[in-house]
Amino acid sequence: MTCKDLSQRPYVIVLNKPPSISLTTIYFYHAYYSKNTREFNEPLHFFADLPHLVSLDLSSNSLWGVIPSSIGALAKLALLDLSFNLLDGPIPPSIGSCTKLTSLDLSHNILSKRSIRSIGNLTSLRYLDLSNNQINGSFPSAILKLASLTTLALGYNQLKGLLPSQFGSLIILSHLDLSNNQITGSIGSIANLTSLEFLDLSNNRITGSIGSTGNLTSLEFLDLSNNRINGSIPSTFSKLISLTTLSLKSNQLNGMLPPELGSLVLLSYLDLSRNQFSGSIPPQIGQCQSLSSLLVSDNLLTGQIPQEIGYLANLYELDLSKNNLSSAIPVNFSYFYQLLELNLSYNNLDGSVPFIAAAMISLDHNTYLCGNSYGLTPCDTPKLDVDHQNRKHPSMVLLALFAPFSFACLSIVSITVVCWRRKYVKSTTKRKSGDILSIWNFDGKIAFEDILSATENFDDKYCIGVGGYGSVFRVHLEGGITFAVKLLHSVEEYSDEGTFHAEIEVLTKNRHRCIVKLYGFCSHSQCKFLVYDLIERGSLSSIMHEQGLAKKLDWPRRVAVVTDVAQALSYLHHDCGDPIVHRDIKSSNILLDIDYKAYVSDFGMARKLKHGYSSWSTIFAGTCGYIAPELSSTMVLTEKCDVYSFGVVALEVLMGKHPGDLLLPFFCRTEQQGKFKDTLDRRVAAPFTVEEEKDAILVALVAFACLQVNPKARPTMQQVYHALTNRNHPGLMLRPLPEISLQGLHEYCGTIKNI
């Protein structure tokens, strides 16, 4: 039997042993094995004659009919994936004979329940997905016997009746999705599932309170929306410190929003809308610095909007509409640089509206708001008495004649004073470092004193990192705001004033999602520091050196990190007024936030280039192992120096360590020895899907292209970012990863410019 007999276009077939009877893996993802074979039973009868079959994946086709009972003959089957097909009828009881199954995915079909008691025999099962079917009746009690289960998905079915009063043997369950059913009862039984990381009970008919969820300290995702849950949010919610997503919308919750919500510092999505919450919004919510969406609309909230919300620099979406909020909109809302949507409509807000740089703003049904934009009524200004305005006093006539002459004289005097002051300041700066303090969003003096107080005059116990130019401290101010402050080395050691101001200039004039945000700085004769946004996970280098942390940096996340850095450099090189060269791209200058998004930091050595020109560097700057070879010999600085450093970092991300000897063939022009797969970081599982393999190969191709000794042979960062985001596939990427050699990457890397 040939591959053609099995499918119109097979995707992957692996024969572990020569005889056909020993076929162990069949994978026809999106192969369109469909009605052309007349019925589904035919291929499965064939598979039933393969006693060694371990993995069967026929997902994402148009298979129809019932699953035949002969499936039970596959006694060694460990993985069965029939998802995204048109299969109907019951799940055959014979599936209970496949006792070695660890993964069973029958989702996105038209399967009914009838009896699935036989699934209780699959005691090795770790992954079970029956979502998006027509399974009805009560919760399948047989599933409660599966002690090895870590993932259970039954969402988008027709389950009714009570949520189980206890979840039996499912003590290691980490992912539970029962959303979009008609389940009733309370969520008290969930409290014993202390290993849960993902819980979705949305769109059901669940009642009772949510107090018992405080035991689920491992939860990262919690969605209880669109139910009938009542009562208040308990203070024990502060224990859910791992939460990144919380949705409680469309319930019957009431009471005040607890200040303990501020303890959920990793929270990025919070939706409490369509409830009956009363009282004021707690200012502690400003401590949730990772928030990108804050939705609290359609409640009974009163009082003013706390200004602490204005410090949530990562907000993309803010909806406080349909409440009874009063007073003015906080002025610091002007500092929302990433906000896309702001909805403050249907409140009792008043006063002047500050400028807010959001794509969509809704302020309607606030009677007393005023301003010169957003379609508002202009704010009232004091007006003179009409009669007084109309009277033309002789002195007014003289003033009208004298005004132009006075204005000209005043302008000349002002220009003279400004020029003199600039000259004075410049000469003073040469003699002594200035005592300049500029911390945006704050009163400068208070912020300076608060920073010293919060760090106990920069005590080492608050230090979270040390670099070549300074030490970084975690600063927690009153009100729950946390920053990273880089204290530069003492003035005696740190005499390059230009380096300090270079970083300020780059970070204040250039805003980008993948570049760390600077909030302010202090330049004092005795103390210099910069105030940054705190990026939670720290540097890429520190994560790669910790085995436990490196394991969480899987291949999709690693590819995303490389892409983020490429985007930042492409912006600096091609989208700024004058190109900016960072000069010190390395893994310790790349920071990762809680979602593993990457930020380029430390612009102390950055330099501007005039368009079309390179620059001579009088100081040999950079870090050994990342410096472009031409910079050490010619001292000529171009954007291609950053491109080379980026190539080193890209390989470091793939390998989990600095590439070291792998760079030598670029300089010695010798052949690259070995297979590409042998260089990948073994602390994480090898790329599993075809897309992961292709992405890993693409990153390697990009890295090799950037490491060419001849700067002109390297791509631009714009070309690199284009290649990583478009993911077009050169010929080499169409081969399986185990077949790719390092020399093959070397030979193909020139194609990156054409991707």
Side-chain angles (χ1 to χ4, degrees):
M1 190 167 188
T2 66
C3 294
K4 199 169 184 180
D5 295 323
L6 288 175
S7 171
Q8 293 175 4
R9 41 180 257 210
Y11 206 70
V12 176
I13 295 182
V14 180
L15 287 169
N16 286 10
K17 297 181 181 179
S20 62
I21 200 70
S22 297
L23 191 67
T24 62
T25 301
I26 296 180
Y27 177 23
F28 291 148
Y29 174 76
H30 205 62
Y32 299 113
Y33 189 83
S34 63
K35 296 182 181 180
N36 295 331
T37 58
R38 294 192 304 182
E39 59 179 346
F40 179 73
N41 308 45
E42 183 180 334
L44 260 193
H45 282 309
F46 166 71
F47 298 141
D49 293 331
L50 299 173
H52 299 286
L53 198 64
V54 172
S55 182
L56 173 58
D57 188 342
L58 294 174
S59 59
S60 299
N61 289 281
S62 299
L63 300 170
W64 62 291
V66 299
I67 304 174
S69 59
S70 55
I71 192 76
L74 303 179
K76 293 188 178 181
L77 202 61
L79 182 148
L80 176 60
D81 190 347
L82 304 177
S83 60
F84 291 92
N85 283 294
L86 301 171
L87 303 173
D88 57 18
I91 300 170
S94 61
I95 205 168
S97 300
C98 303
T99 54
K100 294 192 176 180
L101 270 177
T102 60
S103 178
L104 175 60
D105 191 346
L106 303 178
S107 63
H108 294 85
N109 281 288
I110 320 171
L111 299 171
S112 59
K113 179 185 176 183
R114 296 194 189 173
S115 175
I116 56 175
R117 286 178 294 179
S118 58
I119 287 182
N121 298 332
L122 307 179
T123 54
S124 298
L125 206 59
R126 296 179 59 81
Y127 180 96
L128 176 60
D129 191 347
L130 303 176
S131 61
N132 290 271
N133 279 287
Q134 294 182 6
I135 299 173
N136 53 22
S138 59
F139 186 91
S141 58
I143 293 175
L144 302 177
K145 302 176 183 178
L146 305 179
S148 299
L149 207 60
T150 60
T151 297
L152 173 59
L154 284 167
Y156 290 90
N157 278 289
Q158 299 171 16
L159 294 175
K160 299 179 180 179
L162 295 172
L163 197 65
S165 58
Q166 50 83 32
F167 273 80
S169 302
L170 307 184
I171 57 175
I172 63 171
L173 195 67
S174 62
H175 183 116
L176 177 59
D177 183 358
L178 301 177
S179 63
N180 294 276
N181 283 284
Q182 300 174 41
I183 298 173
T184 59
S186 66
I187 59 176
S189 57
I190 304 292
N192 296 325
L193 301 179
T194 54
S195 297
L196 273 183
E197 298 175 3
F198 181 103
L199 175 59
D200 190 348
L201 299 177
S202 61
N203 295 287
N204 279 287
R205 299 176 181 177
I206 295 172
T207 58
S209 67
I210 57 176
S212 56
T213 56
N215 298 327
L216 309 180
T217 55
S218 298
L219 265 184
E220 297 178 8
F221 181 102
L222 176 59
D223 191 347
L224 302 176
S225 61
N226 292 285
N227 279 288
R228 301 171 183 176
I229 301 171
N230 53 39
S232 59
I233 298 178
S235 59
T236 53
F237 245 51
S238 61
K239 298 178 182 178
L240 307 183
I241 56 175
S242 299
L243 268 184
T244 60
T245 298
L246 172 60
S247 180
L248 301 175
K249 71 175 181 180
S250 299
N251 277 287
Q252 299 169 14
L253 294 164
N254 53 45
M256 300 183 67
L257 298 179
E260 287 80 7
L261 287 173
S263 301
L264 309 181
V265 294
L266 302 183
L267 207 59
S268 63
Y269 181 92
L270 176 60
D271 191 346
L272 304 175
S273 55
R274 298 181 187 174
N275 280 286
Q276 299 169 26
F277 293 117
S278 58
S280 59
I281 300 174
Q284 288 83 358
I285 209 161
Q287 299 174 27
C288 303
Q289 287 289 299
S290 298
L291 270 178
S292 59
S293 292
L294 175 57
L295 313 172
V296 202
S297 66
D298 208 349
N299 280 284
L300 304 172
L301 297 172
T302 58
Q304 61 185 19
I305 301 173
Q307 66 172 354
E308 284 79 4
I309 290 181
Y311 301 142
L312 298 174
N314 294 310
L315 272 185
Y316 283 85
E317 183 181 18
L318 175 60
D319 189 351
L320 305 178
S321 63
K322 297 181 180 179
N323 282 287
N324 293 312
L325 299 172
S326 58
S327 195
I329 298 173
V331 176
N332 61 2
F333 273 31
S334 297
Y335 300 105
F336 281 137
Y337 294 109
Q338 303 190 58
L339 198 64
L340 296 178
E341 183 174 354
L342 173 66
N343 192 348
L344 301 177
S345 62
Y346 291 91
N347 279 289
N348 296 312
L349 300 172
D350 57 28
S352 176
V353 176
F355 173 76
I356 304 171
M360 293 179 286
I361 298 179
S362 180
L363 302 172
D364 55 316
H365 293 86
N366 284 282
T367 308
Y368 301 107
L369 283 180
C370 64
N372 297 321
S373 55
Y374 314 117
L376 298 170
T377 303
C379 296
D380 292 334
T381 55
K383 295 182 180 180
L384 295 173
D385 179 76
V386 176
D387 292 335
H388 181 75
Q389 288 180 331
N390 293 332
R391 286 197 297 267
K392 296 184 179 178
H393 196 275
S395 61
M396 297 292 288
V397 177
L398 291 174
L399 180 61
L401 294 173
F402 186 69
F405 175 76
S406 301
F407 178 76
C409 293
L410 183 61
S411 299
I412 293 171
V413 172
S414 298
I415 292 171
T416 304
V417 171
V418 168
C419 291
W420 178 83
R421 290 194 57 166
R422 285 183 176 176
K423 184 176 180 181
Y424 176 79
V425 170
K426 186 174 181 180
S427 62
T428 305
T429 303
K430 289 181 179 179
R431 294 193 304 267
K432 173 185 174 183
S433 292
D435 293 349
I436 305 169
L437 178 65
S438 177
I439 301 183
W440 302 296
N441 307 353
F442 308 100
D443 176 87
K445 185 176 180 181
I446 295 175
F448 175 76
E449 293 173 352
D450 286 351
I451 288 171
L452 293 182
S453 174
T455 58
E456 299 176 33
N457 289 326
F458 295 107
D459 190 280
D460 286 345
K461 67 183 178 183
Y462 297 97
C463 183
I464 57 175
V466 179
Y469 290 93
S471 301
V472 181
F473 294 79
R474 179 190 293 269
V475 178
H476 190 78
L477 299 179
E478 283 187 13
I481 310 303
T482 305
F483 295 107
V485 172
K486 181 166 76 173
L487 176 67
L488 303 181
H489 293 319
S490 63
V491 176
E492 291 77 11
E493 299 174 19
Y494 192 87
S495 58
D496 186 8
E497 189 77 6
T499 300
F500 176 72
H501 289 287
E503 183 154 9
I504 294 171
E505 183 179 9
V506 169
L507 292 176
T508 55
K509 293 185 177 180
N510 300 283
R511 297 284 185 181
H512 191 272
R513 189 205 69 77
C514 298
I515 294 176
V516 69
K517 184 179 293 184
L518 177 70
Y519 285 106
F521 65 91
C522 170
S523 178
H524 191 274
S525 56
Q526 301 299 320
C527 176
K528 287 184 174 68
F529 61 76
L530 299 134
V531 184
Y532 294 101
D533 195 7
L534 180 68
I535 310 299
E536 295 86 348
R537 292 192 185 273
S539 73
L540 174 63
S541 175
S542 63
I543 291 173
M544 300 290 265
H545 280 86
E546 280 286 335
Q547 183 165 343
L549 298 176
K551 283 183 178 180
K552 294 183 178 180
L553 202 61
D554 56 20
W555 295 112
R557 283 172 173 166
R558 293 187 186 217
V559 172
V561 165
V562 173
T563 305
D564 286 345
V565 177
Q567 185 182 13
L569 291 177
S570 177
Y571 169 78
L572 292 172
H573 292 182
H574 302 283
D575 298 325
C576 295
D578 289 319
I580 296 172
V581 182
H582 186 282
R583 292 209 299 174
D584 198 18
I585 293 295
K586 56 184 177 181
S587 56
S588 59
N589 284 341
I590 297 167
L591 308 178
L592 303 186
D593 70 8
I594 198 64
D595 296 319
Y596 294 93
K597 292 178 181 177
Y599 297 76
V600 174
S601 69
D602 204 339
F603 286 78
M605 292 190 293
R607 291 293 181 269
K608 282 188 176 182
L609 300 179
K610 291 188 177 181
H611 279 292
Y613 294 92
S614 57
S615 174
W616 287 90
S617 178
T618 57
I619 301 176
F620 183 72
T623 301
C624 185
Y626 297 86
I627 300 171
E630 69 273 13
L631 192 57
S632 60
S633 56
T634 65
M635 305 295 282
V636 176
L637 180 68
T638 68
E639 298 98 321
K640 295 298 180 76
C641 298
D642 279 354
V643 174
Y644 180 89
S645 301
F646 170 84
V648 178
V649 170
L651 274 188
E652 187 174 357
V653 170
L654 291 174
M655 299 173 64
K657 61 181 180 180
H658 188 278
D661 293 342
L662 199 61
L663 303 178
L664 291 178
F666 290 95
F667 298 89
C668 305
R669 302 186 184 278
T670 57
E671 186 169 329
Q672 292 273 11
Q673 301 293 327
K675 294 285 188 181
F676 169 56
K677 69 178 180 64
D678 296 330
T679 67
L680 297 178
D681 191 349
R682 297 184 180 179
R683 294 174 296 180
V684 290
F688 178 71
T689 66
V690 174
E691 285 305 309
E692 284 184 6
E693 289 189 358
K694 288 181 178 180
D695 285 347
I697 297 169
L698 178 58
V699 171
L701 276 173
V702 167
F704 273 51
C706 295
L707 292 170
Q708 302 302 303
V709 173
N710 180 1
K712 294 182 179 180
R714 299 171 200 153
T716 65
M717 287 310 304
Q718 199 170 54
Q719 290 169 327
V720 167
Y721 180 59
H722 183 269
L724 290 170
T725 51
N726 284 11
R727 297 185 178 180
N728 293 330
H729 299 151
L732 182 73
M733 295 174 63
L734 300 179
R735 294 160 57 186
L737 186 143
E739 296 180 15
I740 305 295
S741 67
L742 291 172
Q743 185 59 30
L745 291 170
H746 211 142
E747 293 168 357
Y748 271 85
C749 66
T751 62
I752 285 299
K753 287 189 176 183
N754 300 321
I755 294 181

